[in-house]
Structure formats: structure tokens, C-alpha cells
Amino acid sequence: MVRDANDPDRVFDLIEALYASSDATQQMVERMSRDPGISRVLQERPRLGRIDMEALGRLPEGTLGRTFADHLRECGLDPDLLRVLEAPDAASYVKAHLFETHDLWHVVTGFLPTPEGELGLQSFYFAQNGSRVSMGVFVAGLCFTFLRNFHLCEVAMPQVVRGWLLGRRAKLLFGTDWKTLLNTPLEQVRDFFGLELDRVDDILRESERARPSLVPVQA
């Protein structure tokens, strides 16, 4: 993945390897279970399941489901090719749920499916769940940017900060039964989770304006 973070197979391979660490997975489940709401989710295990693009395309414009379908089409993603994993226990459910909802998280957080957008979303993941898996994918993506796409650092790092701020300020997205929200306007979904996209973007712009000039002062 450090050689080519744009290859989705390498991303999946890294995630599989990180989840293969029983200690990391168990620690994640134990930490999540301390939250009563998440503990209930780990027992009920709601799933997004297979995506019906035609049905989503008939939803009103601006709804979460319609925007999600438009996002998949624009990215050239075939939902029938996305991995749908079995989830017989809490640990496997965490991985399966995050796999199948990844592009929905792109939609609700506003991160584009670009290298810098992916870094921002991984930062959001880590801010929300603090897992070793999220940090591992983030670090590998950051190394890829440093070694192969250093010119993107100026645009990538603000997205990392944006992801952290959004993730820390918002309600937990993990375990959401997204099927029940597909017909809801996207802006209402964002409001419900406290995803203050405009406010966080304002914070970043204010920070950029306040940055000291790098031009040396003439004596």
C-alpha cells in the first residue's frame, strides 16, 4: 500500500492483516462495548446489505440514498463487486460493517474519493473509534503521500485536520442502521449526527488566514 495506496486491493489486504491481529480486534470490541449504544449495536448488528442502484436512483434528489447512488456512479463503483462479509460475532461485524459503509461515510462527511480525501476520512475514523486498524491505514496512506505524492501534502494535511475535527465533534456513526436513513435528506442526516461541515471548514479557513507569513521581514 505504501507503493500504491490507490490500489483498493492493497488497502483491503492491509485492513485484513490488521484485523488478523486478535489483540487489536478484541481491544477494539472491548473499547466499543463500554458505550451502551454501541454495545447494543454489536449484539443487533444492523447491515446495509446489497445495494439496489435502481431503487436508490428513484429516491428524491438530495436524499442520502440518491446522493449515495450518484456518488457510486460518479466514482465508477459497482456495488455488486463490493465485499459483503459474514458477521457471526462482534469482531467480524466491526470489519464487515465498516467495509460496506465506507462509501456512505464518504457521502455524509463530504470527503471526496481522492488520495487526500481518503486520508481525511481515515483521520475521521480514528477520531471516532480510535482503532489500530484506522491508524494503520492512515499511516500507510501518509507514507504513500510522503514517498510518492509529496506535492499533495499541502492539500492532504488540511483534510487530515478536517477529519479529526469532524470526527471528534460528531456523534458516533458506527453501527448506524443506514437502511432507515436512505430516504432522509442528506442535510438532515448530517444535522442529526452533528456533522458541522461548514463550521469546521470555517475553522480551517480562519487558521489558514492566521498563519504567519513565510516571507522574511526586511531589516
Side-chain angles (χ1 to χ4, degrees):
M1 183 174 165
V2 171
R3 288 194 298 270
D4 185 7
N6 295 319
D7 183 345
D9 287 338
R10 300 291 76 77
V11 178
F12 282 126
D13 289 345
L14 175 60
I15 292 173
E16 289 283 6
L18 291 168
Y19 273 115
S21 169
S22 58
D23 289 345
T25 304
Q26 191 58 37
Q27 287 174 9
M28 184 191 310
V29 171
E30 290 176 357
R31 184 172 58 253
M32 288 180 164
S33 297
R34 298 188 192 114
D35 183 298
I38 299 299
S39 179
R40 183 174 63 255
V41 163
L42 293 176
Q43 295 176 3
E44 298 174 354
R45 301 172 200 159
R47 301 291 300 272
L48 180 61
R50 287 296 179 184
I51 299 166
D52 186 337
M53 291 287 284
E54 291 187 7
L56 293 181
R58 291 192 294 269
L59 291 174
E61 189 172 348
T63 58
L64 173 61
R66 173 70 176 274
T67 309
F68 181 41
D70 292 344
H71 165 82
L72 293 176
R73 289 194 180 95
E74 290 169 4
C75 296
L77 297 174
D78 182 353
D80 291 334
L81 300 179
L82 299 177
R83 301 184 186 186
V84 177
L85 307 177
E86 297 296 325
D89 52 47
S92 58
Y93 171 72
V94 172
K95 177 171 66 173
H97 180 69
L98 291 176
F99 267 12
E100 67 187 16
T101 61
H102 178 79
D103 283 289
L104 259 175
W105 285 45
H106 266 293
V107 172
V108 296
T109 59
F111 285 108
L112 298 175
T114 58
E116 60 270 23
E118 292 292 349
L119 279 175
L121 185 56
Q122 291 302 325
S123 176
F124 180 90
Y125 275 134
F126 186 71
Q128 288 247 307
N129 60 45
S131 81
R132 189 178 301 179
V133 175
S134 300
M135 177 54 74
V137 176
F138 171 76
V139 169
L142 201 61
C143 288
F144 169 74
T145 303
F146 175 73
L147 295 173
R148 303 284 180 170
N149 279 322
F150 189 76
H151 63 283
L152 291 179
C153 286
E154 281 289 329
V155 293
M157 294 313 296
Q159 293 301 298
V160 171
V161 177
R162 181 179 186 269
W164 177 261
L165 290 175
L166 279 175
R168 298 300 284 183
R169 294 163 71 97
K171 296 178 183 177
L172 294 179
L173 269 63
F174 176 82
T176 298
D177 190 352
W178 293 106
K179 297 189 300 299
T180 66
L181 297 175
L182 294 174
N183 199 34
T184 304
L186 174 58
E187 290 307 315
Q188 288 186 22
V189 174
R190 287 172 172 168
D191 288 343
F192 173 78
F193 285 108
L195 287 161
E196 301 174 311
L197 274 64
D198 291 340
R199 177 59 186 137
V200 168
D201 288 342
D202 285 343
I203 292 173
L204 292 175
R205 282 191 289 267
E206 290 167 6
S207 176
E208 184 64 22
R209 286 195 295 267
R211 186 176 65 170
S213 172
L214 296 180
V215 179
V217 176
Q218 297 297 324

